[in-house]
Amino acid sequence: MVLFILCVKAELDGVETMSLLKSTNLCFSVRNPLSDFETREKVVFNPSETLEQEEGDREPPHHFALKWEGSKKFSTLIILDEEGSKSALKKIKKKGKKGGGGREVDFPRDITSDDSGDYVPVLAMECRGLEPFAFHPLGNEFKVISEGGAVFKEDVDMTKKM
């Protein structure tokens, strides 16, 4: 099992909090960790729904699965809830490991106005046999609450404007 953390950086002007919705489709590109050329671009799945499994399947419930060419087993991705994220991160910290950037990784949480301009962990994924390497915002993954208390859940544009 390998743990991947999605971190988001945003300039929050007039925003109190921004949080990842747990019941909306997410879009990622994934690759085979054993092969540089095997990728699947822009796969979409819902973190609130697990895939149906065959009876007697020993794999834990998962949110996305695929079988790479020549592989006998499915590669899986599991979106961890708050408890699962804390447990997985505690195991990693216990082993003395840090995040991919060499820094210690925090638990996934909401982004606040104090985090403006900083990377914040918002999602933890347990992956077996695949690596998510790109996140593609669809426009409805985040809930934004303004400093005035207005709530926005649709068409939250995460693209960089120049």
Side-chain angles (χ1 to χ4, degrees), residues 13 27 32 44 48 56 58-59 64 73 82 107 112 121 129 137 142 147 162:
D13 188 23
C27 182
N32 184 343
V44 177
S48 65
R58 295 186 320 183
E59 290 291 324
F64 175 75
K73 292 177 65 177
E82 186 175 342
F107 302 115
T112 67
F142 292 93
E147 288 176 343
M162 295 284 179

Side-chain angles (χ1 to χ4, degrees), residues 123-157:
L123 182 71
M125 299 169 277
E126 182 181 297
C127 300
R128 296 169 192 228
L130 60 81
E131 295 177 349
F133 67 90
F135 171 64
H136 307 282
L138 299 172
N140 59 349
E141 300 91 351
F142 292 93
K143 175 176 82 173
V144 174
I145 300 175
S146 73
E147 288 176 343
V151 178
F152 303 92
K153 287 186 180 180
E154 295 179 2
D155 299 326
V156 176
D157 188 2

